[in-house]
Amino acid sequence: MKIGIVCYPTFGGSGVVATELGKALAERGHQVHFISYHQPVRLDFFSENVSYHEVAVSNYPLFEYSPYETALTSKLVDVIKFEQLDILHVHYAIPHASVAYMAKQILADLGIHIPFVTTLHGTDITLVGRDSGFLPVVTFAINHSDAVTAVSESLRQDTFAHFKINKEIEVIPNFIDLERFSKSRKEHFRKAIAPNGEKLIVHASNFRKVKRVGDVVKVFHRINKKIPSKLLLIGDGPERHAVERDCRDCDDCMDIRFLGKQEAVEEILSVSDLFLLTSETESFGLAALEAMACQVPVISTNTGGSPELNIHGVTGFLSNVGDVDDMAKNAIYILEDETRLLQFKANALERAKEFDINKITPLYENLYERVVAANKILFGV
Ligand code: GMT
């Protein structure tokens, strides 16, 4: 199949999922065309089945806000026409779903009928999409997608709750490449960070408000009082500066390290003992899945799709949003007993295996086949 993938190229979860899916599809023999305004971060290799098409964003002085949607639509029309794509898969509804709809209409005028699949990732529904400034467009674009997927049952329910949706939404969860995300021996790294055998606690995110990174630090203070530990914070984003500044005034400031954006997250996860995900809402929690694949148990909030991944008392624990005392209590329970910690680590890996990329990619392939077949019946092409 010839598949076009539209995504955000940044470190965000939707871009990572889109890129890893495209790579897996290419390995399975499909021709994959990525279309974005920047080369996706994980698209750092050459494959004869992968092409990248960059959208040039105009800086014409009249535009205070560059019309990215128009540029992306034109690029889609051009790539779909020239490369004769069979299907388009857009990740994150805003603005990709409405752009795909527009491109589809332009191409229909030219006698080219391409179907598109929209994957909802989370904040496009739970935060931004619900905003009245976006709602009518997002609703329309979802309803006019040829197929819609959500990354968890919770996100599927949220979409029906917040938008007037008249079509089915399939759940296809996030997935993990277990070859890349596996525990590797990085003891020298662990020794450098935790020279006295301290436990290593880790958090990774884009430091947006929704992640409540301040809670991560609060949970850490409580853990560190009982069990000597170090906290590693991976990633960057709008809240980092404030959180980092607050940490500088803390007694255990020297136990907290801000690592910024990291390519080889799996190497850090490999030496970690516990992952903290304190989000207000998390449609799936890809970062937690990456940790679990590296045998790191998870202390998370119980909102959104987190309970569909993190099994309370088995792979970690779930607490109410903001209940840092409960999170710390659960973290200490896992960390204070070495045998218990090892059991939680093993459980985390077993759970992660259920989201193996080799199990999930065929679900997308199957969806594409159904959508393309239905499109053929509709247009006789
Ligand atoms: O805020 C983020 O984590 C980024 C965001 C995105 O769309 O780039 O992530 C969302 O999509 C991920 C991939 O499907 C999910 O694993 C994350 O849970 C989800 N984030 C939120 O719902 C906050």
Side-chain angles (χ1 to χ4, degrees):
M1 236 182 262
K2 291 183 180 176
I3 304 158
I5 292 185
V6 178
C7 64
Y8 283 104
T10 48
F11 276 84
S14 64
V16 169
V17 167
T19 313
E20 295 296 342
L21 173 63
K23 282 157 74 171
L25 290 164
E27 270 169 34
R28 294 164 79 92
H30 300 284
Q31 281 181 38
V32 179
H33 294 263
F34 286 95
I35 304 123
S36 193
Y37 56 83
H38 208 287
Q39 180 157 338
V41 275
R42 290 207 184 163
L43 201 65
D44 50 359
F45 66 102
F46 171 75
S47 156
E48 69 275 23
N49 285 343
V50 175
S51 306
Y52 164 60
H53 308 267
E54 189 152 303
V55 181
V57 184
S58 168
N59 58 2
Y60 186 63
L62 178 70
F63 303 139
E64 192 174 341
Y65 304 102
S66 184
Y68 176 63
E69 282 88 337
T70 307
L72 177 58
T73 307
S74 297
K75 183 56 101 180
L76 289 182
V77 169
D78 180 65
V79 173
I80 293 165
K81 209 163 68 169
F82 183 74
E83 302 288 352
Q84 298 181 349
L85 301 189
D86 298 305
I87 190 164
L88 186 63
H89 187 175
V90 300
H91 292 261
Y92 206 88
I94 307 166
H96 300 149
S98 51
V99 165
Y101 175 79
M102 184 70 180
K104 181 178 161 134
Q105 298 313 310
I106 295 171
L107 287 159
D109 244 17
L110 305 172
I112 298 166
H113 299 282
I114 183 155
F116 74 95
V117 174
T118 299
T119 289
L120 309 172
H121 279 273
T123 50
D124 46 352
I125 295 300
T126 55
L127 288 178
V128 199
R130 288 171 64 184
D131 186 297
S132 58
F134 292 107
L135 192 123
V137 178
V138 174
T139 308
F140 178 90
I142 291 174
N143 282 332
H144 286 80
S145 300
D146 293 276
V148 183
T149 75
V151 298
S152 63
E153 178 56 32
S154 151
L155 183 60
R156 179 177 173 275
Q157 298 294 342
D158 279 346
T159 311
F160 284 121
H162 301 306
F163 300 82
K164 280 205 173 83
I165 299 302
N166 57 26
K167 69 185 309 132
E168 196 37 76
I169 299 176
E170 291 188 31
V171 174
I172 303 186
N174 285 177
F175 48 79
I176 190 80
D177 177 354
L178 289 161
E179 275 178 33
R180 172 173 173 183
F181 284 89
S182 64
K183 197 174 177 66
S184 55
R185 293 192 65 80
K186 296 276 170 203
E187 286 317 308
H188 56 287
F189 178 51
R190 190 182 174 109
K191 263 215 135 43
I193 295 178
N196 302 312
E198 295 93 337
K199 292 291 183 235
L200 274 183
I201 319 290
V202 68
H203 167 80
S205 77
N206 46 29
F207 283 65
R208 287 196 226 136
K209 262 204 161 57
V210 68
K211 303 292 175 180
R212 298 180 64 103
V213 185
D215 283 0
V216 170
V217 177
K218 286 181 192 158
V219 175
F220 176 72
H221 293 325
R222 287 160 173 75
I223 298 172
N224 202 18
K225 279 200 180 115
K226 291 264 159 63
I227 298 176
S229 307
K230 300 280 183 186
L231 175 64
L232 301 178
L233 292 142
I234 305 170
D236 213 329
E239 296 299 306
R240 174 176 167 178
H241 180 70
V243 178
E244 196 166 1
R245 202 186 42 214
D246 287 350
C247 282
R248 287 183 187 156
D249 297 329
C250 297
D251 296 341
D252 55 2
C253 165
M254 298 313 284
D255 294 325
I256 303 174
R257 285 181 68 168
F258 288 79
L259 301 179
K261 289 178 183 166
Q262 295 284 329
E263 294 283 350
V265 179
E266 66 278 13
E267 293 187 6
I268 302 163
L269 293 172
S270 277
V271 295
S272 301
D273 295 298
L274 200 66
F275 189 84
L276 300 181
L277 193 62
T278 54
S279 308
E280 182 87 36
T281 177
E282 201 63 62
S283 68
F284 182 88
L286 179 61
L289 175 58
E290 291 179 344
M292 288 160 71
C294 295
Q295 300 184 34
V296 186
V298 173
I299 295 293
S300 72
T301 44
N302 54 15
T303 52
S306 289
E308 294 173 49
L309 170 67
N310 188 17
I311 313 292
H312 191 73
V314 179
T315 61
F317 285 97
L318 300 142
S319 305
N320 291 333
V321 174
D323 194 345
V324 291
D325 287 327
D326 192 56
M327 292 182 219
K329 183 192 84 195
N330 292 331
I332 292 164
Y333 174 78
I334 295 177
L335 294 171
E336 69 189 356
D337 182 310
E338 209 53 43
T339 315
R340 190 182 295 148
L341 175 59
L342 283 174
Q343 187 59 57
F344 271 88
K345 286 185 172 187
N347 294 349
L349 173 59
E350 280 315 301
R351 180 72 179 144
K353 285 181 186 168
E354 292 174 38
F355 300 91
D356 185 340
I357 191 167
N358 296 312
K359 286 185 186 160
I360 307 297
T361 308
L363 303 182
Y364 280 112
E365 281 179 308
N366 178 281
L367 175 66
Y368 296 162
E369 278 159 18
R370 282 183 279 134
V371 168
V372 168
N375 195 58
K376 273 195 179 132
I377 291 168
L378 208 57
F379 296 104
V381 285

